[in-house]
Amino acid sequence: MLSNACKYAIRSILYLSLYSDKTKKIGVKKIADELETPQPFLAKLLQQLTKSKLVTSTKGPNGGFYLSEANQKNSIWDIVENIDGPNKFNQCFLGLSKCEDENPCPVHYIAAPFKNKILANFRDKTISQFSSEIIDTDKVLSLKDYDALKQE
Amino acid sequence: MLSNACKYAIRSILYLSLYSDKTKKIGVKKIADELETPQPFLAKLLQQLTKSKLVTSTKGPNGGFYLSEANQKNSIWDIVENIDGPNKFNQCFLGLSKCEDENPCPVHYIAAPFKNKILANFRDKTISQFSSEIIDTDKVLSLKDYDALKQE
DNA sequence: ACTAAAAAAGATATTTTTATCTTGATTTAT
DNA sequence: ATAAATCAAGATAAAAATATCTTTTTTAGT
Ligand code: FES
Ligand code: FES
């Protein structure tokens, strides 16, 4: 559904939302390590997200990435839109050129409600609301520890 | 979500289910034309589907592709499994290595029901049931005519 | 000033997906 | 038998996504 790039982006931003702020920046190395994503690829991605004002960065020693107050007010949808483009959730599941209630493809009424629901969920909550929820309901951004645990 | 190849495959098979049988085979050219898919790519794909026993073909004049009785009894899921692999609908939406209720990612409870419902829909109906439904409820496999209409 | 840390920028490489092209094999109809 | 139609098979190409590498710029701390 989403590209790898987009998945990395969402998890990185949620990670930054949870663990960084203006006074506590985090470097690519750390982020890539925690989220188990390819480091140089993530670096490029964060570069792009910074340019798009979805994350904030500073250079130099003690520099790194963090979410500003403004960044926290964006939505997951803003990320998807930026990385995978604005049509990610209004395309036909079977590849027709349009997805509409008139001329529905055979799976339209199965797929469309979910696309709409996911879209709504992604659009109507801010990153910071999302991350509060992550804390409250104990969600995970990486299975690093879990995987490590399993190996024992 | 699904690869182009898989979308083409599903639409082709539904098309064959609707319009072909043992006595009325249809060639790649016709199918590609009707569904507006790249012809040589579809040819390769149908070749693979034939090898996988999801469609049936015969060579020579009046040859072409059709769905045998056995082919009609397969499900959409069989197609997806064959083209995009068996893990298409149990992967984490955010790219975690596992998607399970324990250790859910932040969007798990939004995305997982969707994946399950689609999976169920794709697995529990045969191709022929699907195509009956297509006729009864007037679904479309291509927007060819619709698009042409719009241009006027 | 100097050094080291860190991101930014740009170039390159690899892999996967999508697509096409060419040749060969099979079958039907004449 | 021969010719024409049609799929099969294999080779190749093009495009997109994923990933890496190298160099430059900025900045904090000494
Ligand atoms: S038309 Fe296919 S999903 Fe809406
Ligand atoms: S864990 Fe991410 S979708 Fe289930």
Side-chain angles (χ1 to χ4, degrees):
Chain A
M1 178 106 229
L2 302 176
S3 65
N4 283 356
C6 193
K7 292 172 188 168
Y8 299 160
I10 293 174
R11 291 203 285 140
S12 297
I13 286 181
L14 290 176
Y15 180 80
L16 288 173
S17 174
L18 288 169
Y19 301 116
S20 81
D21 64 46
K22 195 168 17 188
T23 70
K24 189 176 157 207
K25 294 149 197 166
I26 306 182
V28 210
K29 198 136 97 183
K30 171 81 171 165
I31 303 172
D33 209 59
E34 287 300 317
L35 301 182
E36 297 187 290
T37 60
Q39 207 215 89
F41 189 69
L42 189 64
K44 266 292 171 224
L45 196 53
L46 286 170
Q47 209 173 301
Q48 178 182 347
L49 292 171
T50 302
K51 239 196 261 180
S52 312
K53 315 271 190 198
L54 291 168
V55 318
T56 307
S57 72
T58 65
K59 294 180 177 180
N62 299 314
F65 298 90
Y66 68 100
L67 293 201
S68 68
E69 292 300 316
N71 296 151
Q72 295 270 18
K73 296 209 177 84
N74 286 316
S75 68
I76 302 275
W77 175 245
D78 292 321
I79 306 172
V80 175
E81 210 170 16
N82 188 262
I83 305 290
D84 280 351
N87 296 316
K88 200 69 195 192
F89 286 99
N90 59 20
Q91 278 166 336
C92 171
F93 198 87
L94 294 187
L96 301 188
S97 54
K98 297 185 186 57
C99 172
E100 300 164 327
D101 286 351
E102 69 180 303
N103 297 301
C105 79
V107 306
H108 177 78
Y109 288 108
I110 301 169
F114 281 101
K115 291 189 299 180
N116 292 335
K117 186 180 173 196
I118 292 193
L119 177 57
N121 259 279
F122 280 9
R123 213 179 28 201
D124 298 343
K125 252 183 293 182
T126 63
I127 297 291
S128 64
Q129 284 172 330
F130 235 103
S131 66
S132 304
E133 207 179 276
I134 290 172
I135 297 168
D136 291 347
T137 59
D138 215 35
K139 301 291 195 309
V140 302
L141 291 176
S142 160
L143 292 175
K144 197 181 167 191
D145 301 333
Y146 178 75
D147 286 344
L149 219 67
K150 278 247 162 165
Q151 280 166 17
E152 290 166 17
Chain B
M1 178 108 232
L2 303 175
S3 66
N4 282 355
C6 193
K7 291 173 188 169
Y8 298 161
I10 294 173
R11 292 203 285 140
S12 297
I13 287 181
L14 290 176
Y15 180 80
L16 288 173
S17 174
L18 288 169
Y19 301 116
S20 82
D21 65 46
K22 196 169 16 191
T23 71
K24 190 176 157 205
K25 293 150 197 165
I26 306 182
V28 211
K29 197 135 97 182
K30 172 81 170 164
I31 303 172
D33 209 58
E34 287 300 317
L35 301 182
E36 298 187 289
T37 59
Q39 208 215 90
F41 189 70
L42 189 63
K44 266 291 172 227
L45 195 54
L46 287 169
Q47 209 173 301
Q48 178 182 347
L49 293 170
T50 302
K51 238 196 263 181
S52 311
K53 315 270 191 199
L54 291 169
V55 317
T56 306
S57 71
T58 64
K59 293 180 177 179
N62 300 315
F65 298 91
Y66 69 100
L67 293 199
S68 68
E69 292 300 316
N71 297 151
Q72 294 271 18
K73 295 207 178 87
N74 287 316
S75 68
I76 302 275
W77 175 245
D78 292 320
I79 307 172
V80 175
E81 211 170 15
N82 188 263
I83 305 291
D84 281 351
N87 296 315
K88 199 68 194 194
F89 286 100
N90 59 20
Q91 278 165 336
C92 171
F93 198 87
L94 293 188
L96 301 188
S97 55
K98 298 186 185 57
C99 172
E100 302 165 325
D101 286 352
E102 69 180 303
N103 297 302
C105 78
V107 306
H108 177 79
Y109 288 108
I110 302 170
F114 160 73
K115 293 187 299 182
N116 291 335
K117 186 177 174 198
I118 292 201
L119 178 57
N121 259 279
F122 280 9
R123 212 178 29 200
D124 299 342
K125 252 183 294 183
T126 64
I127 298 290
S128 64
Q129 284 172 329
F130 234 105
S131 66
S132 304
E133 208 179 276
I134 290 173
I135 297 169
D136 291 348
T137 59
D138 215 36
K139 301 292 196 309
V140 303
L141 291 175
S142 159
L143 293 175
K144 197 181 167 191
D145 301 333
Y146 178 75
D147 285 345
L149 219 67
K150 278 247 161 164
Q151 282 166 16
E152 290 167 17

